[in-house]
C-alpha cells in the first residue's frame, strides 16, 4: 500500500478548527512529546501537532518506553491549553483515549478504553496516551497530549519487537486484515479529539465521563499493581479525581492513582 505520512498530508485531510492548523513532521525524532515541549519554548500555539514516522526515545506511562519503529505506526502529540486546574488534567488523557477509540471504530473495529490511558481491541492494547503537563499557580499552562497507535505493524513484527508485551498487543492492521493510511487515521484522531475537547470546554467533564464509562472496562475483574500493592477485584468506577476505584473480594476498596490495571478473563482468577 502506498501511503504517505507527512505534515501536508495530515493538514490536507484534517477538518478541524483548532487542532492541526500547524503540523510539524519528522521522519525520526526522539519523542514527539519532547519535540512539542521544545516548540512550546519557541512560542507554539494551541492545537500545534507534532507527528513522527519513528521515535528513538518514545515515552510511555510510568517511566516506560514506547516502541516506535519506522514505517508502521502513528506517533502524534497535540498542544492543548485548557483553562483548568492541574487536578483536572487527567480528564484529557481520557479524552485522548476516547478520540483514538472513535477513530478506530470509523473502520468498523470495536474499541474499548481502559483506565487510565489505553485503548483496547479484542482486549489487547492498540494505543496509549501520555499527557505531560506544565503548570502555573496550580493551573494547567500547557498540556502535551501524546498518542501512540499501532496502526500498520503486523503480527510477526509485534512478536519480534514487543517481546513479552507482544501477546497483549494488537494493531489496526491485525484487526482489519489490511493496512490503513496513517495521515487519514491521524486526521480522524484529531477531528474526534477536537470534538471531545470542545465538548469538555463547553459542557464540563460530565459528558466525557459518561461516554468514557460506557466504553470502558468498568464492571470487570482486574488485577492491579501499584508500587508494593498487588490485588485483584472489580473495577467499579472513577472518583472525582479520575482515580480508579476497585472493590476487593473482602468488600474493601482501593483507589488506584498510577498503577497497572489488567482485565482478567472470566474464570482466570489467581
Ligand atoms: C502508554 O501507554 O504508556 C503511553 C504511550 C504514549 C506513546 C506516545 S507516542 C507519541 C507520544 N510521544 C511519546 O514519546 N509518547 C507518546
Amino acid at each position: 500500500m502506498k501511503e504517505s505520512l507527512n505534515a501536508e498530508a495530515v493538514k490536507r485531510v484534517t477538518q478541524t478548527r483548532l487542532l492541526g492548523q500547524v503540523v510539524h513532521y519528522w521522519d525520526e525524532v526522539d519523542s514527539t512529546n519532547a519535540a512539542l515541549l521544545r516548540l512550546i519554548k519557541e512560542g507554539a500555539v494551541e492545537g500545534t501537532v507534532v507527528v513522527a514516522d519513528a521515535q528513538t526515545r518514545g515515552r510511555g506511562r510510568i517511566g516506560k518506553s514506547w516502541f516506535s519503529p519506522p514505517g508502521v505506526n502513528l506517533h502524534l502529540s497535540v498542544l492543548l491549553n485548557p483553562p483548568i486546574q492541574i487536578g483536572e488534567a487527567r480528564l484529557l488523557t481520557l479524552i485522548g483515549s476516547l478520540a483514538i477509540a472513535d477513530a478506530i471504530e470509523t473502520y468498523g473495529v470495536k474499541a474499548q478504553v481502559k483506565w487510565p490511558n489505553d485503548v483496547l481491541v479484542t482486549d489487547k492494547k492498540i494505543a496509549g496516551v501520555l499527557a505531560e503537563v506544565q503548570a502555573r499557580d496550580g493551573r494547567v499552562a500547557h498540556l502535551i497530549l501524546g498518542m501512540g497507535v499501532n496502526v500498520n505493524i503486523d503480527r510477526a513484527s509485534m512478536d519480534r519487537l514487543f517481546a513479552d508485551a507482544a501477546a497483549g498487543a494488537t494493531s489496526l492492521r491485525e484487526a482489519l486484515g489490511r493496512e490503513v493510511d496513517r495521515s487519514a487515521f491521524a486526521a480522524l484522531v484529531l477531528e474526534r479529539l477536537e470534538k471531545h475537547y470542545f465538548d469538555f470546554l463547553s459542557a464540563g467533564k460530565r459528558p466525557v465521563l459518561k461516554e468514557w464509562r460506557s466504553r470502558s472496562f468498568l464492571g470487570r475483574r482486574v488485577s492491579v499493581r501499584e508500587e508494593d500493592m498487588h490485588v485483584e477485584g472489580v473495577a467499579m468506577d472513577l472518583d472525582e479525581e479520575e482515580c480508579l476505584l476497585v472493590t476487593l473480594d473482602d468488600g474493601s476498596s482501593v483507589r488506584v492513582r498510577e498503577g497497572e490495571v489488567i482485565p482478567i478473563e472470566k474464570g482466570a482468577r489467581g
Side-chain angles (χ1 to χ4, degrees):
M1 178 192 181
K2 174 147 176 37
E3 63 119 64
S4 57
L5 181 67
N6 60 61
E8 281 318 307
V10 173
K11 265 202 294 202
R12 197 171 50 244
V13 288
T14 304
Q15 293 182 8
T16 47
R17 285 193 284 139
L18 176 68
L19 309 189
Q21 303 305 306
V22 180
V23 179
H24 297 265
Y25 169 84
W26 279 278
D27 284 336
E28 185 181 279
V29 73
D30 50 353
S31 148
T32 55
N33 273 26
L36 192 45
L37 188 57
R38 292 190 287 270
L39 289 169
I40 290 171
K41 291 181 184 136
E42 294 167 17
V45 295
E46 183 173 34
T48 297
V49 167
V50 173
V51 190
D53 182 48
Q55 300 182 117
T56 52
R57 302 185 65 180
R59 310 207 273 243
R61 205 171 68 88
I62 37 184
K64 293 186 181 174
S65 52
W66 183 258
F67 194 71
S68 314
V72 282
N73 291 337
L74 182 66
H75 316 106
L76 179 148
S77 299
V78 187
L79 174 57
L80 300 174
N81 299 337
I84 58 172
Q85 302 285 334
I86 186 82
E88 294 176 286
R90 282 165 175 267
L91 245 310
L92 275 304
T93 303
L94 305 186
I95 287 176
S97 58
L98 277 179
I100 297 169
D102 286 351
I104 290 170
E105 295 208 331
T106 308
Y107 293 83
V109 172
K110 188 168 166 40
Q112 271 200 309
V113 291
K114 194 195 91 173
W115 184 92
N117 69 327
D118 291 345
V119 182
L120 307 181
V121 165
T122 56
D123 265 4
K124 294 181 177 177
K125 180 159 172 165
I126 195 165
V129 179
L130 179 68
E132 295 184 294
V133 177
Q134 290 187 317
R136 197 176 300 129
D137 301 329
R139 298 188 68 80
V140 170
H142 300 289
L143 187 142
I144 296 172
L145 199 63
M147 297 182 270
V149 187
N150 296 335
V151 179
N152 286 329
I153 190 164
D154 62 20
R155 172 48 49 193
S157 305
M158 285 189 276
D159 286 345
R160 185 163 39 87
L161 301 170
F162 291 0
D164 291 350
T170 191
S171 68
L172 193 50
R173 176 181 176 160
E174 184 169 61
L176 272 179
R178 66 174 170 88
E179 289 184 42
V180 160
D181 183 278
R182 284 180 294 165
S183 294
F185 185 79
L188 283 171
V189 171
L190 291 172
E191 287 163 13
R192 297 308 301 168
L193 182 63
E194 180 166 291
K195 186 201 173 291
H196 288 299
Y197 182 53
F198 284 175
D199 285 352
F200 167 60
L201 293 182
S202 61
K205 67 184 200 175
R206 244 169 213 271
V208 174
L209 288 173
K210 187 168 177 225
E211 175 139 12
W212 189 90
R213 283 188 176 101
S214 75
R215 299 173 70 174
S216 79
F217 69 147
L218 293 177
R220 282 188 63 176
R221 192 166 180 84
V222 292
S223 149
V224 178
R225 279 180 195 274
E226 185 170 60
E227 295 173 351
D228 293 340
M229 175 176 77
H230 180 200
V231 292
E232 282 185 21
V234 177
M236 296 304 286
D237 205 355
L238 304 183
D239 71 5
E240 67 290 344
E241 288 184 324
E242 283 68 63
C243 293
L244 184 70
L245 301 172
V246 176
T247 299
L248 308 186
D249 294 342
D250 65 5
S252 63
S253 278
V254 294
R255 179 176 189 256
V256 193
R257 281 194 70 82
E258 289 295 344
E260 195 90 67
V261 177
I262 300 167
I264 304 173
E265 284 172 37
K266 287 190 184 75
R269 289 184 178 202

